[in-house]
Amino acid sequence: MLIVTAGIGGRIWAEYRHPGILAERSQCFKAQDVKSWDKVIGPLMAWSLSFPLVIVAGLDHHFAWSLLFPIWMNLLGFVLVTFGYAFAAWALIENRFFSSLVRIQKDREHKVCNSGPYRIVRHPGYAGNILALPGIVLALGSVWTLIPVVIAIIIAVIRTELEDRTLQAELKGYKEYVKRVRYRLIPGIY
């Protein structure tokens, strides 16, 4: 329910603030200027953040591979999921250039977004998803879900690195932004 609320609510709010953003996000797969590496990594990341987690957790519960988590751990998981997805939704709401795939949107006069969560980290959408991932492990009470979570985090970090390099090389004003906001995903670390 948290995923649906953050996902749908965030998208509705983003569309209200930036009319047409949802159309752009759905049409970006047809855009000619999508980075070739992201035609693979983008969908892989989207897939890794959903189905494997649910499938592994379901199998774990069916076969009772993990011991029961104490309720406080489940609740902590829900808190991490809530804050993570809220942070990611905030990024979508704040950035009118938040696209599903990496591309410099020259057709929309792409500019650096440096407000809201973008004052904290350069890639808050990814940061929010990464924060939610360990929360999913705790909320679902499945140790085995750590396997797809680690894979999803690795994919997200690789995509973050490639996207950041692209933005530094091709988006006007991004190098100056990097000097002000030093960290990509985790303040003080990366």
Side-chain angles (χ1 to χ4, degrees), residues 5-22 85-96:
T5 302
I8 293 174
R11 280 164 178 72
I12 290 170
W13 194 353
E15 184 64 27
Y16 175 76
R17 281 200 66 203
H18 310 293
I21 191 170
L22 297 182
Y85 286 139
F87 196 69
W90 186 21
L92 171 63
I93 292 162
E94 195 66 31
N95 185 355
R96 68 185 185 103

Side-chain angles (χ1 to χ4, degrees), residues 4 16 36 44 66 74 96 105 124 130 168 173 177 188:
V4 173
Y16 175 76
S36 59
L44 182 62
S66 294
N74 300 128
R96 68 185 185 103
Q105 301 170 41
I130 289 172
Q168 287 190 51
Y177 170 66

Side-chain angles (χ1 to χ4, degrees), residues 49-66:
L49 292 170
S50 56
F51 297 112
L53 306 170
V54 176
I55 291 168
V56 171
L59 290 170
D60 186 352
H61 284 282
H62 180 74
F63 293 109
W65 295 334
S66 294

Side-chain angles (χ1 to χ4, degrees), residues 9-162:
R11 280 164 178 72
I12 290 170
W13 194 353
E15 184 64 27
Y16 175 76
R17 281 200 66 203
H18 310 293
I21 191 170
L22 297 182
E24 194 288 324
R25 286 176 54 79
S26 66
Q27 296 298 317
C28 75
F29 291 93
K30 297 177 184 175
Q32 299 298 315
D33 53 355
V34 170
K35 298 301 171 189
S36 59
W37 52 263
D38 205 39
K39 291 178 183 177
V40 175
I41 293 178
L44 182 62
M45 182 173 155
W47 182 80
S48 74
L49 292 170
S50 56
F51 297 112
L53 306 170
V54 176
I55 291 168
V56 171
L59 290 170
D60 186 352
H61 284 282
H62 180 74
F63 293 109
W65 295 334
S66 294
L67 298 173
L68 286 177
F69 283 33
I71 192 75
W72 68 268
M73 288 181 86
N74 300 128
L75 293 173
L76 175 61
F78 283 115
V79 169
L80 290 173
V81 170
T82 301
F83 281 115
Y85 286 139
F87 196 69
W90 186 21
L92 171 63
I93 292 162
E94 195 66 31
N95 185 355
R96 68 185 185 103
F97 301 104
F98 196 114
S99 187
S100 298
L101 294 176
V102 176
R103 70 186 197 92
I104 304 303
Q105 301 170 41
K106 293 176 184 169
D107 56 317
R108 298 180 64 227
E109 299 179 16
H110 196 162
K111 293 178 178 51
V112 174
C113 180
N114 58 11
S115 58
Y118 292 89
R119 290 178 295 189
I120 302 167
V121 291
R122 296 196 306 257
H123 300 277
Y126 301 152
N129 282 319
I130 289 172
L131 176 61
L133 288 170
I136 291 171
V137 172
L138 297 173
L140 295 177
S142 169
V143 172
W144 289 96
T145 307
L146 280 170
I147 295 169
V149 160
V150 168
I151 293 168
I153 289 172
I154 290 169
I155 293 168
V157 169
I158 290 169
R159 188 176 190 207
T160 300
E161 184 63 32
L162 291 170

